[in-house]
Amino acid sequence: MSLLILFCAIVIFSCIITNKFSNKLGMPSLIFFMFLGMLFGSDGLLKISFNDYDLTAKLCSVGLLFIIFYGGFCTKKINNLKVNAQAVLLSSLGTILTAGFCTVFCFYILNLSFVESFLIGAVISSTDAASVFSILRSRRLNLKYNTASLLEMESGSNDPFAYILTIVGITMLNGTGVVETLPLLFKQIFFGILFGVLIAFGALFLLKKTRLLTDGTDTIFIVAVALLSYSLTDLIHGNGYLSVYITGIILGNSELKNKLNLMHFFDGITALCQVAIFFLIGLLSFPHRIPEIIIPAILVMIFLTFIARPLAVFITLAPFKIKWNQFLFISSAGLRGAASIVFAILVVSENVNLANDLFHIVFVVALLSVSLQGSFLPFIAKKVDMIDRFSDVRKTFNDFQQESAISLNKTFIQQDHPWVGQCIKDIHFNGKALILMIKRNDKKIAPKGSTKILENDEILIGSTHAESDVDINLCETFIDKKHEWLNLKIKEIALPENHLIALIKRNEEYFVPNGSTKIKLDDIIVFYDV
């Protein structure tokens, strides 16, 4: 037991250290846990013999369920029909084309059987959102032309399509013809969409229209909703991953109580799932088998990166006449990751007869894709002039909190300071700023316009630029049609004692208000509690 606890502690510390290292290097820290699994595995130092594909498939499927749900939950809805259409086509037609091109390559160039060629194409046809955005987020690189939103939507929604192709491939491997798989395709897509929508709106009804849930139980409820969305759909042979993704999108783009807490919870859960998946993948692998498949794996990786993905992107997005630099970056951002390997594990766990080592081929392709291709992604973004220097990639996600929207600075008022003896309303700032708190003789004061600044006061100033590490307690409220503050001015609102409105978000813009600022419909009010 002590050894298990020690191992958990080592993993946690490793997570922190490798995350910082990976941010500088530009590749996801999760690769470390894959290598850690290999170190513990049968070919590693500890020689743990583990080859249970069926157990791994079940555990990884549960983890992937939460990862895909959270991917939908964090996908921020944008009012741009062109970007939405591009993302949908890339995640559906683009995935099918990628699988098709890889199938042709494996069949005619590598001389594999058609079904095994199809399975390789199917499992590596989806891109990995976690890998792409861990790189972009670590560098805080946003992309021009809404490309970050496009890639996030594509990467989050193409896993279900890759899963459908994988299921079709398994069915074909068991002797079923291509035509006979058409009803299966229909059921996968139809029931995936239907149950995803129904369960999401049913959950919203229970959350908003009933009093069944109290604070604290809403998080457990959302977990149950994700599990229900997947399991019910899967029981009737629908696509559980498609269902859970759609449920996540609808819930994530709805106004939910304690939404920020939900984000933090699922962020932790998905991080744990990703660590577990990559560790199990590493543990399941046998490095001594890799030399046998290294040549075909590298060839597949090269073809996928430089031919299949660019061709699929070009054909899919040609009607939209996208710019050449956007095309080059989208083609380069098709990283393969955990989902591809999990789908390969699903194939092997079916105990089907395979002439080639499908798992290790996909394992090497994904490893090379994330480590090599992913490392060059920031360089490519700069080289083709795709970086939006006036925005932050974190704005792409629903879990984004505008860290730099309100930044804090402390000022100590000395005897000769020009503010001594002045009322706050008489002080003029060069930029958009607001005095949030005055600390006087160890007492915190929520200032008003008539509050006079005295010598030895410590002033906390909030502004919409610069940065600070000051720790404050911020909370938000959403202004709907029934809110009592709607159309009132700040100075007309009776705030609780020691509370101050520090920031207002309106139509994606953050600004520091003053007393005459009027509260409007759909505003998000950020409070500071002293």
Side-chain angles (χ1 to χ4, degrees):
M1 184 65 182
S2 297
L3 288 175
L4 179 61
I5 294 174
L6 177 62
F7 171 73
C8 292
I10 292 173
V11 169
I12 292 171
F13 284 120
S14 301
C15 224
I16 297 170
I17 295 170
T18 55
N19 185 59
K20 189 173 185 64
F21 174 75
S22 68
N23 286 347
K24 294 182 179 180
L25 189 60
M27 70 172 66
S29 60
L30 291 170
I31 292 179
F32 167 81
F33 295 100
M34 184 185 292
F35 284 113
L36 189 64
M38 295 170 69
L39 187 67
F40 277 71
S42 57
D43 287 356
L45 296 178
L46 297 186
K47 305 293 183 182
I48 297 176
S49 181
F50 181 77
N51 60 354
D52 194 334
Y53 285 92
D54 185 56
L55 176 61
T56 306
K58 291 175 181 176
L59 293 175
C60 289
S61 294
V62 175
L64 195 60
L65 177 164
F66 285 109
I67 293 170
I68 292 176
F69 173 79
Y70 188 52
F73 201 77
C74 283
T75 300
K76 190 174 183 179
K77 181 178 67 175
I78 57 173
N79 297 319
N80 189 321
L81 293 177
K82 182 178 179 181
V83 173
N84 291 332
Q86 290 173 345
V88 170
L89 281 175
L90 267 181
S91 65
S92 54
L93 179 60
T95 301
I96 295 171
L97 288 174
T98 302
F101 294 142
C102 288
T103 299
V104 171
F105 175 79
C106 292
F107 182 69
Y108 286 103
I109 305 300
L110 301 183
N111 295 319
L112 304 183
S113 68
F114 176 77
V115 177
E116 288 194 30
S117 298
F118 181 85
L119 278 169
I120 291 176
V123 299
I124 64 173
S125 61
S126 66
T127 56
D128 186 23
S131 298
V132 174
F133 284 93
S134 66
I135 295 169
L136 296 181
R137 274 179 159 180
S138 67
R139 303 294 183 88
R140 294 191 179 182
L141 300 178
N142 199 25
L143 305 170
K144 295 178 179 179
Y145 321 124
N146 287 314
T147 306
S149 298
L150 169 61
L151 288 174
E152 169 64 8
M153 293 178 67
E154 182 218 358
S155 300
S157 57
N158 61 13
D159 285 340
F161 287 96
Y163 177 73
I164 292 173
L165 294 174
T166 302
I167 295 300
V168 170
I170 293 173
T171 305
M172 291 167 57
L173 200 61
N174 287 325
T176 305
V178 177
V179 177
E180 287 79 2
T181 63
L182 293 179
L184 175 64
L185 281 173
F186 175 79
K187 290 174 67 175
Q188 284 273 313
I189 297 173
F190 177 77
F191 288 118
I193 295 174
L194 178 65
F195 276 75
V197 173
L198 290 178
I199 291 173
F201 282 105
L204 287 176
F205 176 81
L206 291 175
L207 285 169
K208 294 184 176 182
K209 303 297 183 181
T210 69
R211 297 184 179 180
L212 292 175
L213 301 175
T214 58
D215 290 343
T217 60
D218 48 356
T219 302
I220 301 172
F221 175 75
I222 297 298
V223 171
V225 167
L227 294 172
L228 187 69
S229 181
Y230 175 85
S231 57
L232 280 183
T233 310
D234 190 63
L235 281 172
I236 59 172
H237 305 293
N239 191 322
Y241 293 121
L242 179 59
S243 175
V244 83
Y245 179 73
I246 291 174
T247 300
I249 284 183
I250 295 173
L251 293 179
N253 287 281
S254 303
E255 292 299 328
L256 301 178
K257 187 179 180 181
N258 299 323
K259 188 174 183 179
L260 183 58
N261 292 333
L262 288 171
M263 290 286 187
H264 290 161
F265 173 80
F266 279 103
D267 190 51
I269 289 293
T270 53
L272 181 61
C273 289
Q274 287 174 331
V275 167
I277 287 174
F278 274 80
F279 179 78
L280 285 172
I281 288 170
L283 190 65
L284 191 64
S285 66
F286 291 85
H288 75 270
R289 297 182 184 175
I290 290 178
E292 301 173 7
I293 53 87
I294 191 67
I295 299 302
I298 291 175
L299 291 175
V300 170
M301 165 63 186
I302 293 173
F303 178 81
L304 177 65
T305 305
F306 296 103
I307 299 178
R309 170 71 176 180
L311 269 177
V313 172
F314 177 78
I315 293 172
T316 304
L317 300 184
F320 299 96
K321 298 179 180 179
I322 64 173
K323 297 181 181 297
W324 68 269
N325 55 340
Q326 186 182 20
F327 161 73
L328 288 176
F329 184 82
I330 293 174
S331 299
S332 303
L335 306 187
R336 314 296 138 167
S340 295
I341 306 177
V342 172
F343 293 151
I345 294 172
L346 287 174
V347 174
V348 179
S349 69
E350 292 290 328
N351 294 317
V352 291
N353 294 320
L354 294 170
N356 296 276
D357 193 345
L358 178 68
F359 168 73
H360 283 93
I361 291 175
V362 177
F363 176 86
V364 172
V365 169
L367 187 61
L368 292 175
S369 177
V370 174
S371 58
L372 296 181
Q373 188 180 355
S375 299
F376 285 101
L377 204 56
F379 171 78
I380 294 172
K382 295 176 183 177
K383 203 68 177 175
V384 300
D385 191 27
M386 273 296 295
I387 296 177
D388 182 356
R389 305 183 189 278
F390 303 100
S391 189
D392 192 322
V393 71
R394 295 169 295 166
K395 293 182 180 180
T396 306
F397 308 96
N398 280 324
D399 65 338
F400 170 65
Q401 299 297 307
Q402 182 105 357
E403 296 172 19
S404 58
I406 178 168
S407 51
L408 306 171
N409 296 278
K410 283 183 178 178
T411 299
F412 184 75
I413 305 299
Q414 299 178 340
Q415 183 179 5
D416 58 346
H417 198 284
W419 291 357
V420 172
Q422 289 197 46
C423 293
I424 289 177
K425 63 183 179 181
D426 298 324
I427 297 174
H428 299 284
F429 295 96
N430 292 327
K432 295 180 179 180
L434 185 71
I435 295 178
L436 301 176
M437 184 190 73
I438 299 176
K439 187 176 181 181
R440 181 177 297 163
N441 298 325
D442 294 325
K443 181 181 178 181
K444 294 178 179 179
I445 302 171
K448 300 178 181 178
S450 59
T451 303
K452 185 175 290 186
I453 294 178
L454 304 180
E455 182 184 346
N456 296 325
D457 280 353
E458 189 175 335
I459 310 295
L460 184 64
I461 302 172
S463 64
T464 54
H465 49 83
E467 293 187 358
S468 174
D469 58 357
V470 180
D471 185 23
I472 66 170
N473 182 25
L474 291 174
C475 53
E476 297 180 351
T477 189
F478 179 77
I479 305 298
D480 57 21
K481 294 179 181 180
K482 298 180 180 180
H483 203 285
E484 59 183 347
W485 292 354
L486 182 62
N487 296 324
L488 291 181
K489 294 182 178 179
I490 298 288
K491 62 185 177 183
E492 298 172 342
I493 297 173
L495 289 170
E497 186 178 358
N498 291 336
H499 280 68
L500 188 69
I501 294 178
L503 197 71
I504 295 178
K505 179 184 178 184
R506 179 177 296 163
N507 298 326
E508 304 300 323
E509 178 187 359
Y510 287 83
F511 63 92
V512 177
N514 54 42
S516 60
T517 302
K518 182 178 287 188
I519 305 295
K520 296 185 179 181
L521 183 65
D522 296 333
D523 278 355
I524 296 177
I525 312 298
V526 181
F527 292 94
Y528 171 60
D529 178 8
V530 302

